[in-house]
Amino acid sequence: MSFRSATAVDYVEDVSPGSGALPPRAWYPVSDAESLSLNGSWRFRLSPTADAEDDAFAEPGYDAGSWAEVSVPGHWVLQGHGAPIYTNHLYPFPVDPPRVPTENPTGDHLRFFDLPEGWDLAGGGAVLRFDGVESCARVWLNGTDIGEFKGSRLPHEFAVGQLLKPAGNVLAVRVHQWSAGSYLEDQDQWWLPGIFRDVTLLHRPAGSALDFFVHASYDHVGGTGTLRVDSDVAGRVTVPELGIDVATGEPVTVPVEAWTAETPRLYDGVLATGGERVPLRIGFRTVALDDGLIKVNGKAVLLKGVNRHEWHPEKGRALDRETMLADVLLMKRHNINAVRTSHYPPHPAFLDLCDEYGLWVIDECDLETHGFTEQAWRDNPVDDDRWTPALLDRAARMVERDKNHPSVVIWSLGNEAGTGRGLTAMAEWIHGRDTSRLVHYEGDIDCRDTDVYSRMYAGHAEVERIGRELDGGTHKRRRLPFILCEYGHAMGNGPGGLADYQEIFESYDRLQGGFIWEWIDHGIKDERYGYAYGGDFGEELHDGNFVCDGLVFPDREPSPGLVEYKKVIEPVRIDGDGADGTVRVTNRYDFADLSPLDFEWSYQVGGETVESGPLAVPALAAGESAEVKLPEPPVAAGSGETQWTVRAVLGADAGWGPRGHVVAWGQFPVSGRQLPAFAAATVPVVSGDGSIALGPAVFDARSGALRSIGSVALTGLRLDVWRATTDNDDGAAWQSDIRYGALWRKFGLHRMRHRLDAVEQTGDALTVRTRVAPAAWEFGLGTVYRWTTDGSRLRLTVSVTPDGDWTVPLPRLGIRLGLTAADRVRWFGGGPGEAYPDTRSASVVGRWESTVDGLQTPYLRPQENGARADVRWAELGGLRIEGDPEFWFTARRWTTEQLDAAAHRTDLTPGDTVWVTLDHGQHGIGSQSCGPGVLPQYQLHAGPAEFSFVFTETG
């Protein structure tokens, strides 16, 4: 018989949540009781296993002078000790719950501190609080073992008053990367051990506040709020602005302004107990499930949200307030009104900011067991009674910490943890503890335990069926509101199809919006690659750049996806027929009127604004519309395409944006575009040097290849159908059997061959006939280039005729060419940023200017990017290019093939040639990196096509 002996580290593999910690309670950042931050530089020692070192380091007098130093909050793997690991759902260790590997990086941390002068412990005590440690910690103070805990993104407090000394205190913390708790924390993110949130010592005077619950409901009929503060320690609650002065536990009803995400009205109050005064920020609002809808203050809300992991490219999940504020301000400036805290409670200061600036919050528990899908959910902890105490502990620590935030309107049990008795126990506990909010969990497909029907990545057609209540399911589910807790996977170029989703959301009351996955790319700043992603640190298992799927880049620069989302969800709709002199303005807010906004018009001729001014729009209430008369069109010099642009802007500085910030806009054509007039006037002339002259152009007589236009040298002009596949082109295998990136490569569209059939001089035209087709396949594109000139300009007409059986759409259809010198680019068309067929809502028609480098979108994994839509003309490298019809325009200092081969930004080396693509068509983007593919109306199918370009040397 053999047995495993007990050791001093058995707690690491114990399924319990820990021992020694105080019961969870409400978090508040300040009071008049003293506190001491223990953030800063800590001594640090890394061991390869959990039991490599004994506990001697925790004793006072231990010499740690040779140890390294790390910053707390922080992750040791981002400070030169070990390396991060990225997996989406696979556990990076053998699945044998609750066992973890012997190879278990363990960080011993030491912090030495003195108490502030005058800190009197005689009449009270002290509490040591950890706001976040991954994944398991054991704590000693002055040599005394005070407990251990799991639950990485949750607070844990210990009573330590009896152990403190005025000076020379020694705080020792042993942190293990892997523990039983790791099985409950298999979220799609980097595995990053360490003490990554604040460590604080709190003075607890006699009679200080313990736990308290602020109940602040709102009666939307009477316009009154009812406040009751339940407190473990009796005291009084005062709210001077409302004239409130009542005992704890006593309700009071007064007229108030309600709190909403659009109008985040907060009242300052104080909870005063015998030993402490705690500031309160009170928002009155009522959340209810009413008539099958999520209603706040009596009104159904439409969630225009994002999923937000906490991330900083250098500090990981160790965020400071400035970074959190940057997130909130960016969200507000891009019309986002809701956040799902994927997939754990955020730093509590983030919720303070959501209260202050106004965001609806789904607060999600620190729970995900996604890796058990590999075992068909066998041994899943959420359906194993041994783990239920840990699940309940996690639920309680979230709810108790965050219960006083008006921004939190829904509790979420966690994410991708299957189903089981433990989740039911969590839901029952939360429903019993807090009746003022709803409960969410996407995995509860029958909605047995939840108040909201939630799904991930359902396609447009299915969402519409759900909106029409044709989706079936249980009787309870059919009576519940629906949200997409994840959709619009923002990985690389995309997501596409957002406008189509929003149109469906706005068409059916049952559909109450969704949350884009996700907010930020989790790239780690790295001198090798610029930003590193999965696999760049030698991980045994990893999911590559799947961790880079955000609406903002790691440095928090907005991606084109965020700009598109802002337009799609804008809270003011401005549409109509500008030609008849009126526009229709609709207030799409749920609560706010339009009084904070100013409206302004501008009139463009040929893409340039010739006149602008204010537009009188009534302060429409939420949901109201009005027809608004535009001024008479100005008498402008010159002629050409004309249009109105109407913008809604902040009329005064707001807490989240400056006066003049654009909230919404609309464009309305008045007169159409005048196509370039062209009459062929000169015939091709063959020269003795093997060239053909046609007006300003010179061609190779044998191949018909264009060499130059005037003094501008060109190279490689030919039909182009390939693009460097996007993450959405390559798709996710679990979403569909049809992944166009793979099919395009299978059929050889990335290696098309160009066969020359004829070079003909017929009348006033030079005609080059070719066939463009992939090796090994019998289908192709018959392609004819017809060149003419009017003496000073050169016109190219491209005719394309497919032959054979084309079973997949084309990535693109157009021409590409190389210019030997180009930097500045000017164009009239869509801008200022990139756009594709299903990501073009935010493209503003006008005149724009950029450098070639400025046209690039720096996706962390390089891919097709930078196309400008609806281009009438573009100028670069000494050429003006006019299109008939409008075209998609890109310009790069590398070829499509080089872009396609690159794994990181640093793989792209600018060359001497600028490669320009002039596309007649582009395939859409979709969201198939983890969602539906390109909708049929945005697919580019092979078919007969003809398009023209006129080239002029600009001199």
Side-chain angles (χ1 to χ4, degrees), residues 334-353:
H334 288 84
N335 296 328
I336 289 164
N337 72 1
V339 176
R340 176 178 175 230
T341 68
S342 53
H343 297 293
Y344 43 82
H347 191 293
F350 178 76
L351 298 179
D352 287 342
L353 294 168

Side-chain angles (χ1 to χ4, degrees), residues 151-154 184-185 187 343-345 364-367 394:
S152 297
R153 271 67 69 172
L154 297 162
L184 304 180
E185 296 172 4
Q187 294 100 337
H343 297 293
Y344 43 82
E364 192 149 89
C365 194
D366 190 8
L367 172 62
R394 288 170 184 249

Side-chain angles (χ1 to χ4, degrees), residues 34 152 322 324 378 509 540 618 796:
E34 293 187 86
S152 297
E322 289 70 26
M324 295 181 244
R378 187 176 62 254
D509 291 342
E540 178 184 13
L796 167 64

